[in-house]
Structure formats: C-alpha cells, structure tokens
Amino acid sequence: MSRAYTTPDIDQPTSLLGGLTPREFMRDYWQKKPLLIRQAIPGFQPPVTIRDVQTLARREEVESRLITQGDKGWSLKHGPFRGFPPKSQPNWTLLVQSVDLHDDESAALLRQFRFISDARLDDLMISIATDGGGVGPHFDSYDVFLLQGQGRRRWRTSSQPDRGLVPGLPLKILADFRPDADDILEPGDMLYLPPHVCHDGVAIGNDCMTLSIGFRVPSQATLARGLLESAADQLSAQHLGDPGLYGHPCLPGPDLSTLYTDADIPATQHPAALPDQLVRSTLDTLQSIRLDEAVAARFLGQWLTNLPDNALFDPPDEPASLSAGVPAQGRIVLDRCTRLMYSGAQVFINGEVADLAASPALEALADHRSLPADSLRGLAPDVLAMLDEWLQEGWAHWDQA
Ligand code: SIN
Ligand code: CO
C-alpha cells in the first residue's frame, strides 16, 4: 500500500526523532551522538518487500552486494545476481544501494529526512538478511539512520576510539569490537549513528529488513579542488574559448587578457632557468582571480546535482505543455531521480545550470519538489517553456490528481 510521507516541520516535535523537533535533533545529536528511537514510524510498512529487494538486485543498473559468513569466513559478491541462497540458510545478507532511484515510495521515505539539506542527504539502502546475517562490526565515515523495516535486528554499538581493521578481508571488519550498547530493533524502530561510531547489526530470524538513510560527506580536498576547477573553467570560458564543465554560462570575472611583459629583464647567463619574474607574475595573477560565492556555488551546484549513472528517466510520449496553457488543476512534480538546487541567482538541475535565474517559483519547486497549478499560472513564458523542457525530458511530470 502506498503511503504519503511528509517532511516534519523543523519546530514541531516528531515521533520520527523520538519526540524531538528537527531543530533540537540537529543541535543535540547530529554528528554528535547516537540516538535510539522506538517507533520512529509507528505501524511502519516498508516501501518494498523482501522479494522486491531480490528483484532489484537482479537488475543490471542496480548496485547490490551479497555478504555471507560461513566456515571459510566472510565472502562478498557484487550484483547483478541470478539467484540467492535459500531463505532457510542462515548468515547471509543482500544489500541494495540507492533504492530511491528505482522506487517512488522509497524516494518519498528518504525525503522525510529533508530537514537536512539535499546537499547531504544521499540515498536509501535496503538490506535483507537471514538469521545471523549482517555486514560485521565496522564503522562508516558518514551519518546514518538505520530504520528497521521488517523482522528484528540486534544492534550493538561502541564509541571506542580503536578502529583497527582485520587485515586481508573483503570487508571492513573491526579487529577488536567492544560494544557499549546493545538493543533489539523491531519494525518502525530507528537508530541514528554519527560518523565513526562502531556498530554491528545482526539479523534475528529469517525475515530481517533494514533501511539505511545515508548521507554524503565531501572531503576538504574534493571541495578545494572543485572550487579551483570551477574558477579555472570560468577563466577558460572568458579567455581561452573553452568553457569546460563549470564555465557555462560565464560568470562576471577579472579581465586577464593583457599579455605578460618583461621590458626590464636583464641579459641572462642561465637561459634554462625559469625567470623569477615570470614565476612571481604568475603568482600575482592569482590576486585578481575571484574565488567568490558564485564560483563556489557553480561547482557545488553542478557537482551535487550530478546524477549517478543508474539514474534513468522515462521521457513521456505525450508530455504536458504548460506554455500551451496551465491546466485548471494538478501540479508539476519532480521525478524521483531529479536533483534541483539553487544558490543566489543560479539554479542547478541534474548536473547542469538551468537556463533561467532563480525565482521564488523555482525555489519553491526545488524545496517542495512540486508546485500546484495555481502557483504556475502567471509565471513568465520563458519559465513555463523551461518547465516544458523538463517535462519532455522526464525530469518532471504532470500530476493531474
Ligand atoms: C545493514 O546491514 O543493513 C546496515 C549496514 C550498516 O551497518 O551500515
Ligand atoms: Co554501517
């Protein structure tokens, strides 16, 4: 049965966070300490069945892993799979990544957590396991909400500083796991873990399903490199005729069209040595290069909305046309795979810069992922034409209901 999930108001206590408001959760727990939440989603029915998870793991474009623990130790295989061990066989687990790209209700479940920015929210992973199944004691580098979907799972966690791993295994398994908390989660219960908290989840019974709401976290090196790449692409676009990935459209920037001069340079006895003056002049040009918000946003917006290879759209045969007249009722809804973000005047969609500048309507569409007919009527023709293109691509859909 399909279920509507709504993102909680940031100042309203919510069962999803054990009675905390999202604001309180972010202040007191996010990136700080674990939180066990009983009945985060009362009466929770997972968006997919155990059989659906197996069906997904057979598909080429779906990322999946099968982990088994037997007499010969840990084994890890990557999908797509043609078959699975029998349900009666203990100690195996199948994990399917990014189920939100493939299933609307899973995407809606993930978006309940949008009190945290889309820049951080990553994917919904779903695992199924038979008795004893799990991925072993380990730690992750990112935050996670572990929501029990079906059956039961025993979670042991530890804030131990020792994160040494067993060498030579196909999985990251802690060499010396010393749990300081031990809880059994039932359907609808949820465990929040900040990065680096050690944990081990073991299925109890043969029908265990766990949903992981995962987050992404860029390294400082990735951010710095992206910023420099964005600035370099802007320079290329302005002066060298090659926009690169982040150069189109061109942002206002410094004029670097003047040529290097060295009228005062003396004769040299070392013609192979790089002239100091040239090195200094190269460094000096950096002073005029703008590393500002717009250039940083250009990298972040394109990079964060860039689609994974397995995000597939289904362009309709007869797309709705808003330019031809906004229907009396209904709403435009972003496809589950579409990534739409904005910063300042820039709007980013699926790795590209949108043709038009940000406006309250586009920002509302990005924040709510839908916009009713009433809010579309009266929008400028170029905005409606751009939305028509998104409808044609299958990046958005017209929902008549
Ligand atoms: C799982 O087994 O479903 C969760 C994996 C994890 O602990 O990250
Ligand atoms: Co983990």
Side-chain angles (χ1 to χ4, degrees):
M1 191 186 67
S2 182
R3 169 173 179 154
Y5 295 103
T6 45
T7 310
D9 183 301
I10 61 170
D11 286 312
Q12 286 294 319
T14 172
S15 62
L16 187 69
L17 299 171
L20 297 172
T21 66
R23 196 188 293 279
E24 289 165 341
F25 171 80
M26 296 306 282
R27 187 191 61 204
D28 297 339
Y29 291 92
W30 176 251
Q31 299 241 297
K32 298 171 197 74
K33 54 185 179 187
L35 179 64
L36 172 65
I37 304 157
R38 294 289 178 194
Q39 291 307 286
I41 306 184
F44 181 53
Q45 300 275 333
V48 291
T49 63
I50 285 180
R51 186 172 283 267
D52 292 335
V53 176
Q54 292 182 336
T55 304
L56 281 168
R58 291 173 189 270
R59 280 165 51 180
E60 191 76 43
E61 75 279 15
V62 175
E63 204 185 318
S64 58
R65 289 170 289 159
L66 181 68
I67 294 171
T68 50
Q69 206 188 349
D71 301 340
K72 297 193 193 115
W74 293 95
S75 132
L76 165 69
K77 291 195 178 98
H78 291 276
F81 296 100
R82 299 177 72 169
F84 305 97
K87 206 176 166 183
S88 55
Q89 180 184 315
N91 300 329
W92 64 269
T93 180
L94 172 70
L95 302 103
V96 176
Q97 212 69 42
S98 301
V99 179
D100 52 292
L101 294 179
H102 312 292
D103 174 65
D104 277 332
E105 201 178 326
S106 299
L109 173 64
L110 178 67
R111 299 211 158 96
Q112 251 196 308
F113 294 82
R114 284 182 88 219
F115 52 87
I116 298 161
S117 167
D118 290 345
R120 298 282 270 115
L121 201 50
D122 189 11
D123 77 331
L124 182 76
M125 180 183 83
I126 302 188
S127 70
I128 56 170
T130 57
D131 196 44
V135 303
H138 68 286
F139 66 93
D140 300 302
S141 310
Y142 33 78
D143 312 77
V144 66
F145 289 95
L146 297 153
L147 171 63
Q148 192 60 19
Q150 193 181 324
R152 295 190 303 157
R153 179 165 231 137
R154 177 184 186 193
W155 280 105
R156 291 181 305 156
T157 58
S158 169
S159 51
Q160 65 190 69
D162 171 11
R163 296 198 288 270
L165 301 176
V166 182
L169 292 185
L171 306 176
K172 278 189 344 181
I173 302 284
L174 287 165
D176 184 17
F177 180 53
R178 279 166 281 117
D180 47 42
D182 189 338
D183 299 286
I184 292 174
L185 269 67
E186 310 264 350
D189 292 346
M190 187 165 76
L191 179 62
Y192 163 73
L193 297 178
H196 298 136
V197 171
C198 300
H199 54 285
D200 185 21
V202 178
I204 301 173
N206 288 337
D207 64 344
C208 177
M209 180 194 286
T210 303
L211 299 87
S212 302
I213 292 93
F215 294 84
R216 65 162 149 181
V217 49
S219 70
Q220 286 186 320
T222 300
L223 295 176
R225 194 188 179 289
L227 173 62
L228 293 174
E229 202 178 335
S230 174
D233 281 358
Q234 287 297 325
L235 283 179
S236 296
Q238 270 173 301
H239 298 291
L240 306 172
D242 170 16
L245 185 58
Y246 301 117
H248 180 77
C250 214
L251 294 163
D255 180 8
L256 297 177
S257 55
T258 38
L259 300 182
Y260 170 67
T261 56
D262 55 1
D264 53 354
I265 204 152
T268 181
Q269 288 179 312
H270 301 286
L274 271 178
D276 288 346
Q277 188 179 338
L278 178 56
V279 172
R280 269 198 310 277
S281 174
T282 303
L283 283 171
D284 286 349
T285 56
L286 272 186
Q287 309 301 325
S288 54
I289 290 176
R290 212 171 288 171
L291 295 177
D292 60 10
E293 276 92 353
V295 175
R298 173 60 59 87
F299 156 64
L300 289 169
Q302 284 192 244
W303 182 63
L304 290 169
T305 62
N306 195 31
L307 293 167
D309 290 343
N310 54 353
L312 303 173
F313 295 98
D314 189 11
D317 294 334
E318 291 181 29
S321 169
L322 303 176
S323 300
V326 175
Q329 56 185 12
R331 55 188 194 136
I332 189 169
V333 182
L334 298 181
D335 184 82
R336 62 172 178 260
C337 292
T338 284
R339 297 178 176 187
L340 179 61
M341 299 186 80
Y342 59 89
S343 174
Q346 302 182 82
V347 175
F348 307 96
I349 181 159
N350 297 338
E352 299 174 10
V353 184
D355 289 335
L356 298 176
S359 61
L362 287 178
E363 290 176 9
L365 175 59
D367 283 334
H368 304 300
R369 298 190 62 82
S370 73
L371 209 53
D374 282 351
S375 308
L376 292 166
R377 234 167 275 121
L379 290 184
D382 56 354
V383 178
L384 295 179
M386 187 175 74
L387 296 180
D388 279 352
E389 276 176 37
W390 296 359
L391 290 164
Q392 284 157 21
E393 297 277 358
W395 290 359
H397 308 283
W398 187 258
D399 175 9
Q400 199 59 53

